[in-house]
Amino acid sequence: MNALKDWIGRSEVRSELLTAGLVERFNATFGRTGPLDDGADAPLLIHLCLTQPAVPAGDLGPDGHPARGGFLPPVPLPRRMWAGGALSFHRPLRIGSKVTRNSTIRDTVLKQGRTGPLCFVTVDHEISDEHGLAIAERQDIVYRGADSGTPQSQPAAAKPGLHRKQIPVDPVLLFRYSALTFNGHRIHYDQPYVIGEEGYPGLVVHGPLQATLLAQYAADLCSAVPSSFRFRSFSPLFDTADLTLNAEETAEGMKLWTARPEGPVAMEAIATW
């Protein structure tokens, strides 16, 4: 861990053009429509599909993720996933603009979980274009050991929200989102691998995909993009069942969560305006 602390403060800057073609594919993946003209507002959380590293095939690990090292610290634990994050929306990104992501490693922390050691890496992102800062984001990444993908005991089933929407989940949706984000992680599209090697019962629904669905749902319910959105993952979702989006108003704004039928909360989020 002392060596991993050396990564704190490291930064990376990447840029990419936000094209109408990407917006069209993004909307098609989520079953949404919107303008494609240059200068129009881009969809919420499409920045997660931009400036992703194009790692050569020979530099990928056996799970399809980039091999350890590079910008992210070389954590000596084999499993990596999103644990949560927070976003502040200053203004929308625009179609046709050049988007720049300035990323900095904020912290690395080692903890002991129920199944063994966990390493949390916190990354700060500033997403901007020619008009300045658009989104400030904190991303929490967790690394864990190669234990069984399913816990021995299940937490209580999630309650249904006052607002509730069912989202069909299938391998096509997961493949399309992996393609949008250039994510080679095999747990999202390679069923023999995810069942045989990582011990899950089916393909895993991406954390960023769930976060995008929840943010979109919050914006739809309130007819306005939230000013802030934070989320945390609690348990995985699989393509073995559809997922539900749930929401209810709170004094702070809106509480949202994903779940599968009769399953526990998978991801929880808080949106404010």
Side-chain angles (χ1 to χ4, degrees):
M1 283 303 300
N2 288 335
L4 297 181
K5 291 292 184 183
D6 293 340
W7 257 255
I8 296 176
R10 293 198 179 196
S11 61
E12 175 185 72
V13 178
R14 301 180 66 90
S15 297
E16 184 175 344
L17 188 66
L18 203 173
T19 66
L22 175 63
V23 173
E24 185 176 30
R25 293 188 291 273
F26 182 91
N27 284 337
T29 299
F30 287 96
R32 303 175 71 88
T33 60
L36 298 176
D37 304 316
D38 279 358
D41 291 356
L44 195 60
L45 266 65
I46 196 172
H47 74 280
L48 299 176
C49 305
L50 291 167
T51 67
Q52 298 302 317
V55 178
D59 293 335
L60 297 176
D63 61 355
H65 262 319
R68 302 297 184 259
F71 171 63
L72 289 173
V75 177
L77 293 170
R79 305 287 190 253
R80 186 177 89 192
M81 63 193 69
W82 262 34
L87 301 105
S88 296
F89 299 101
H90 297 272
R91 56 179 184 78
L93 293 169
R94 308 284 187 184
I95 299 174
S97 62
K98 182 181 180 181
V99 176
T100 298
R101 172 175 57 82
N102 192 326
S103 305
T104 304
I105 306 293
R106 182 202 293 184
D107 201 7
T108 60
V109 177
L110 184 66
K111 295 183 178 181
Q112 188 67 27
R114 289 179 300 172
T115 57
L118 302 171
C119 182
F120 291 86
V121 177
T122 304
V123 185
D124 289 332
H125 303 290
E126 292 184 345
I127 314 298
S128 59
D129 59 17
E130 55 266 32
H131 300 293
L133 180 67
I135 303 165
E137 178 182 6
R138 187 198 78 238
Q139 187 180 103
D140 302 321
I141 304 168
V142 62
Y143 297 79
R144 63 175 180 81
D147 50 67
S148 174
T150 53
Q152 295 300 313
S153 60
Q154 287 288 343
K159 67 175 185 177
L162 178 63
H163 308 282
R164 193 166 184 264
K165 181 178 180 180
Q166 185 166 320
I167 302 294
V169 176
D170 60 27
V172 175
L173 172 65
L174 304 187
F175 171 79
R176 279 185 156 194
Y177 192 75
S178 288
L180 281 172
T181 55
F182 204 65
N183 182 354
H185 198 182
R186 294 169 64 181
I187 63 173
H188 304 303
Y189 61 86
D190 187 341
Q191 190 175 75
Y193 170 84
V194 74
I195 294 174
E197 295 295 327
E198 300 216 10
Y200 289 115
L203 298 177
V204 179
V205 181
H206 313 65
L209 172 60
Q210 294 182 60
T212 299
L213 288 167
L214 289 174
Q216 290 173 344
Y217 196 39
D220 290 345
L221 290 171
C222 288
S223 300
V225 173
S227 59
S228 69
F229 180 81
R230 66 180 187 271
F231 60 94
R232 182 182 175 190
S233 294
F234 290 95
S235 62
L237 288 177
F238 309 103
D239 71 335
T240 53
D242 294 343
L243 67 86
T244 60
L245 307 178
N246 301 270
E248 58 188 25
E249 289 80 6
T250 67
E252 184 180 1
M254 183 171 286
K255 178 180 177 181
L256 305 104
W257 62 97
T258 58
R260 67 181 184 274
E262 308 303 323
V265 171
M267 177 178 286
E268 185 176 275
I270 298 293
T272 61
W273 284 262

